Amino acid sequence: MSNFPFLSVLTVAPLVGALVVAFLPRHRPELAKQVAFVWSLLVLVLSVVMWVSFNAGGDRFQFRESYSWIPNWGVSFTFAADGIALVMLMLIAVLVPLVILASWHDAESSKRSVPVYFALLLVLECTMIGVFAAADVFLFYVFFEVMLVPMYFLIGSYGGHQRQYAAVKFFLYSLVGGLFMLAAVIGLWVVGGKTFDWQALSQVDISTGTERWLFLGFFLAFAIKAPFFPFHTWLPDAGGAAPAGAAALLVGVLDKVGTFGILRYCLPLFPEASKWFAPWALALGVIGIVYAALLAVGQNDLKRLVSYTSIAHFGFIGVGIFAFTTQAGTGAVLYMLNHGLATGLLFLVVGMLISRRGSALISDFGGAGKLVPVLAGVLFFAGLASLALPGTAPFISEFLVLIGTFTVNKPVAIIATLGIILAAAYVLWMVQRTTQGTLNPTLTEVDGMRRDLNLREKVVVAPLIALIVLLGFFPKPVTDVINPAVQATMDDIGRTDPAPSVGTVQEARR
């Protein structure tokens, strides 16, 4: 199967499915849901086959395909996946079917077209796969920008309170970042010999001043997309207004394009500039961890609270990337996966609570666990995973980031550790105020609050819980795929892990 065009088929398949779903009759919404779900399962099956076919000890980039697009500009449809991209592609393939199941009634409640809603989810899947699979800088930029369109309509047409404001703000922030990237992409094409091929550009020798400007153009776009402090303000609005399923994909996958872009483009293509900007990037990461955690503590809106927790988590990922050690880098990539699973679960469960109560305000809950004990238990588990409790997958990621950073930059690692304490505060406080304590009398008057998890919702949360626990105890299958790609990235920027001290070596020998 190594010669099978996995990446191009995976990119095109959701788009074909979206066209099929969009043209289904509006008066048959159940058919549209079923077709979208089955189509997403086909993508998942093909992704699993690709994962099995990937050789972790083989070439850095595998499943390479290239088809001419605009020869005069040196643009081609070139796809390739390393271990980092492969992990993100699997995350997309797992989350989308679960989001479709979780969003079964979201479009109906918005009084808009059900087929269009699920078609937009499949279009979004197409663009997400394309952006992680692209090995041509121009192709990556195209997917980076087009990805905004389906999410804009998901938020603006199917979202909640202030959805139009949130959708426009999301679009404008991302578009401005894209303009910085476009300028840098054109500059890279000029100095790179008029090619957009990633492998060719990685061999180009760029002057120091030019490299720094090009790095800055890419980094600003990725920092807005991630988002890093102080470019984060669009996320709480977008996450708070978006339907729960779309918010799970927004925070679980779309935002990872920013950190993925830094790893794939900023570090290998601009190694000297990456090292020059690293102290500033580490500072932004640390500030984001503490600042976003403090803001999360004061939130009364469940979805905005989860959005702020994600900003703090992205601070950890940024610290892991710019620590420039294989341990921290592996932790950062693993965090990208585990955060997608944990926060995706948290957003979906919060969405289930909100749909029952009819409100996202924490003050409208209180003691809900007495009415919906299973749902409350899943919320508690998702919260514990979000705060990186040992035994859950995010703990491994956070531990690797901190220990890898501590070996080269102790102050940054120590300050970042404060984020763990603050995470416990905002997660436990959220759980306490929503599901524990005295029962809010108004909840008994809401019919939805008497319905615990049904079979469909259990099917949604069960795989995510299983993956979070499995990767919390046995992350080796994933780290074996990630490690070679991270090591190659460290080689690109000429960084090696610090050698252990003499005392450490002697202690280890004892």
Side-chain angles (χ1 to χ4, degrees):
M1 295 290 287
S2 59
N3 295 325
F4 185 81
F6 283 105
L7 297 175
S8 58
V9 172
L10 280 173
T11 304
V12 174
L15 183 60
V16 175
L19 292 174
V20 173
V21 172
F23 286 102
L24 290 174
R26 292 189 61 171
H27 65 274
R28 298 191 63 186
E30 291 300 316
L31 179 61
K33 300 173 188 177
Q34 293 163 5
V35 172
F37 179 64
V38 171
W39 213 284
S40 66
L41 287 181
L42 294 176
V43 174
L44 173 59
V45 170
L46 186 58
S47 299
V48 171
V49 175
M50 182 177 65
W51 177 279
V52 174
S53 302
F54 186 82
N55 181 9
D59 295 337
R60 177 180 181 180
F61 290 97
Q62 300 177 35
F63 313 118
R64 184 176 173 84
E65 307 170 47
S66 188
Y67 312 98
S68 180
W69 183 12
I70 312 176
N72 292 337
W73 293 359
V75 179
S76 61
F77 284 99
T78 302
F79 299 99
D82 61 357
I84 300 171
L86 185 66
V87 166
M88 297 311 301
L89 292 172
M90 280 303 305
L91 176 63
I92 295 167
V94 169
L95 280 182
V96 171
L98 301 179
V99 164
I100 289 175
L101 270 183
S103 306
W104 210 251
H105 300 297
D106 286 359
E108 294 167 347
S109 61
S110 67
K111 309 298 183 183
R112 293 182 180 270
S113 171
V114 173
V116 170
Y117 178 82
F118 288 95
L120 286 171
L121 287 177
L122 290 176
V123 172
L124 184 61
E125 183 177 27
C126 162
T127 59
M128 291 188 299
I129 291 173
V131 79
F132 288 110
D136 179 278
V137 178
F138 187 82
L139 182 63
F140 172 85
Y141 171 76
V142 170
F143 278 117
F144 183 89
E145 292 289 74
V146 174
M147 188 169 54
L148 305 178
V149 178
M151 183 54 73
Y152 170 81
F153 285 108
L154 284 169
I155 299 173
S157 298
Y158 296 90
H161 183 59
Q162 290 191 326
R163 59 180 181 271
Q164 293 294 340
Y165 168 79
V168 170
K169 188 173 183 179
F170 158 76
F171 194 88
L172 290 179
Y173 265 72
S174 299
L175 189 62
V176 169
L179 291 176
F180 283 112
M181 187 197 295
L182 178 60
V185 166
I186 295 172
L188 186 60
W189 180 76
V190 172
V191 302
K194 298 184 178 181
T195 180
F196 289 108
D197 183 75
W198 185 93
Q199 289 187 322
L201 291 171
S202 64
Q203 306 300 320
V204 174
D205 186 21
I206 306 174
S207 65
T208 300
T210 302
E211 184 178 321
R212 290 179 181 177
W213 281 110
L214 294 177
F215 171 92
L216 191 59
F218 277 92
F219 180 78
L220 285 174
F222 297 143
I224 292 171
K225 177 68 72 177
F228 292 143
F229 174 89
F231 312 105
H232 64 282
T233 59
W234 64 267
L235 181 57
D237 292 319
L249 291 177
L250 173 66
V251 177
V253 180
L254 261 72
D255 292 355
K256 307 302 190 307
V257 174
T259 50
F260 172 81
I262 294 172
L263 286 163
R264 171 64 67 84
Y265 295 95
C266 287
L267 270 58
L269 299 184
F270 317 114
E272 295 305 318
S274 298
K275 289 182 279 191
W276 191 81
F277 278 99
W280 299 98
L282 287 171
L284 293 181
V286 169
I287 293 172
I289 291 171
V290 178
Y291 177 73
L294 290 173
L295 288 179
V297 173
Q299 296 302 310
N300 189 40
D301 185 290
L302 279 167
K303 289 199 287 186
R304 288 181 66 88
L305 188 152
V306 177
S307 298
Y308 275 114
T309 68
S310 295
I311 297 170
H313 294 150
F314 275 101
F316 276 105
I317 297 173
V319 167
I321 292 173
F322 285 97
F324 296 142
T325 65
T326 53
Q327 271 185 328
T330 298
V333 177
L334 194 59
Y335 214 141
M336 290 162 62
L337 169 65
N338 294 336
H339 174 266
L341 297 173
T343 305
L345 175 62
L346 188 55
F347 251 120
L348 294 178
V349 175
V350 162
M352 294 171 189
L353 266 178
I354 293 172
S355 66
R356 284 164 166 77
R357 180 64 178 89
S359 172
L361 298 180
I362 296 175
S363 55
D364 286 339
F365 289 86
K370 294 179 175 62
L371 301 176
V372 284
V374 178
L375 180 55
V378 177
L379 176 69
F380 183 53
F381 174 85
L384 294 180
S386 182
L387 65 82
L389 185 77
T392 62
F395 169 76
I396 304 295
S397 317
E398 212 163 87
F399 180 77
L400 286 173
V401 167
L402 291 174
I403 197 171
T405 304
F406 189 81
T407 58
V408 293
N409 198 323
K410 292 180 177 59
V412 168
I414 292 171
I415 297 173
T417 305
L418 293 175
I420 300 175
I421 302 171
L422 292 172
Y426 59 67
V427 167
L428 295 178
W429 195 28
M430 174 193 70
V431 172
Q432 172 65 29
R433 290 188 294 166
T434 53
T435 63
Q436 306 300 310
T438 304
L439 176 65
N440 186 338
T442 61
L443 294 181
T444 60
E445 302 170 4
V446 181
D447 292 338
M449 290 305 301
R450 296 184 180 279
R451 292 182 289 106
D452 212 335
L453 289 183
N454 57 37
L455 178 60
R456 174 180 56 84
E457 292 168 331
K458 290 176 182 176
V459 172
V460 170
V461 301
L464 294 174
I465 293 173
L467 285 171
I468 291 169
V469 174
L470 176 63
L471 294 178
F473 286 94
F474 188 58
K476 188 176 185 298
V478 177
T479 55
D480 284 348
V481 171
I482 293 172
N483 280 331
V486 172
Q487 183 60 63
T489 304
M490 293 301 106
D491 292 341
D492 288 336
I493 60 177
R495 284 297 180 96
T496 57
D497 291 339
S501 64
V502 175
T504 303
V505 173
Q506 292 175 345
E507 186 65 27
R509 287 175 178 172
R510 293 194 191 103

